[in-house]
Amino acid sequence: GAVVSQHPSWVICKSGTSVKIECRSLDFQATTMFWYRQFPKQSLMLMATSNEGSKATYEQGVEKDKFLINHASLTLSTLTVTSAHPEDSSFYICSAASGPLGEQFFGPGTRLTVL
Amino acid sequence: AQSVTQPDIHITVSEGASLELRCNYSYGATPYLFWYVQSPGQGLQLLLKYFSGDTLVQGIKGFEAEFKRSQSSFNLRKPSVHWSDAAEYFCAVGVSGGTASKLTFGTGTRLQVTL
């Protein structure tokens, strides 16, 4: 149980285009999902907290107009990187919270490369 | 705000040797503590967690960790390391807030196993 998927697993795009990443909880409902960014050989940095049916809460320094988050259902959250630039290239990981203590279950990650 | 310190960036051990990865946290109340493992290009897998109760926690793959409040530590141990344990290990502290715990990660410890 508690499986989280991400799609796509990797994506290459041209500078200036937008990219959408999906995060799904496959066998449970998640009121809250999280989006992280991980640079090579570094730790995970929380970008935003996504609650179903409401606006996402962004961490300090994260541009909400650049990283659009939508949490339209209890099993799906999407992250759209708008007008992507090479500095947006990174590994993006989502997690979905479940259970009475809100334990997070992580997706396998999406590798974004912007040319 | 909470923080996590993993003082060892890189550790090398021989297969069959014992392992201890250090983790120190800073948080004003009783924390939720986690250890995750990440293989290259993959998402995070939960090894074990501490919420309350017994301070010695057993996890998957033969790992255990001990919560020591007096030392603000949550060190990960394994009595005999296998070559497949080579990976990046992250300690995290969770702060309960509503329906989910917000996680703060340490910088990670890369484990190399020599045969």
Side-chain angles (χ1 to χ4, degrees):
Chain A
V3 179
V4 177
S5 70
Q6 280 184 242
H7 178 81
S9 55
W10 59 270
V11 57
I12 301 173
C13 70
K14 293 182 178 180
S15 185
T17 61
S18 294
V19 174
K20 180 184 286 188
I21 302 171
E22 292 185 348
C23 177
R24 293 181 184 273
S25 56
L26 299 184
D27 51 3
F28 66 100
Q29 294 184 328
T31 305
T32 304
M33 290 184 173
F34 299 86
W35 287 95
Y36 296 85
R37 182 173 183 177
Q38 185 180 30
F39 290 103
K41 300 186 186 299
Q42 294 189 26
S43 188
L44 281 75
M45 299 299 295
L46 179 65
M47 299 174 66
T49 303
S50 168
N51 290 295
E52 186 265 339
S54 63
K55 291 183 178 180
T57 302
Y58 290 82
E59 295 298 301
Q60 190 173 5
V62 177
E63 299 176 60
K64 63 180 181 180
D65 294 330
K66 181 167 187 61
F67 298 100
L68 300 180
I69 292 173
N70 182 274
H71 194 159
S73 77
L74 289 173
T75 59
L76 173 64
S77 176
T78 60
L79 168 68
T80 301
V81 183
T82 63
S83 187
H85 287 91
E87 58 266 29
D88 299 324
S89 299
S90 190
F91 194 54
Y92 292 89
I93 301 176
C94 74
S95 70
S98 179
L101 295 177
E103 181 181 343
Q104 293 184 38
F105 298 91
F106 287 82
T110 297
R111 171 80 54 197
L112 170 63
T113 301
V114 185
L115 302 176
Chain B
Q2 68 275 15
S3 66
V4 179
T5 301
Q6 292 181 247
D8 303 307
I9 297 173
H10 186 202
I11 284 183
T12 300
V13 299
S14 299
E15 188 175 37
S18 63
L19 171 71
E20 182 170 32
L21 302 182
R22 296 182 290 167
C23 173
N24 293 97
Y25 69 90
S26 174
Y27 182 55
T30 299
Y32 301 148
L33 295 163
F34 305 82
W35 273 101
Y36 291 90
V37 61
Q38 184 182 35
S39 296
Q42 302 295 314
L44 273 68
Q45 181 181 23
L46 179 66
L47 287 175
L48 47 78
K49 61 193 177 190
Y50 171 80
F51 285 161
S52 64
D54 193 348
T55 56
L56 184 61
V57 181
Q58 301 298 320
I60 63 171
K61 303 183 179 185
F63 286 93
E64 67 177 26
E66 186 171 11
F67 170 56
K68 292 185 177 180
R69 185 188 301 275
S70 62
Q71 299 177 20
S72 298
S73 69
F74 189 57
N75 294 347
L76 182 71
R77 301 192 294 251
K78 186 169 184 177
S80 178
V81 170
H82 189 263
W83 64 267
S84 60
D85 293 325
E88 188 87 21
Y89 290 80
F90 292 98
C91 180
V93 58
V95 176
S96 181
T99 59
S101 296
K102 189 174 175 179
L103 295 179
T104 298
F105 286 86
T107 51
T109 297
R110 178 164 297 277
L111 174 64
Q112 183 176 0
V113 180
T114 58
L115 301 177

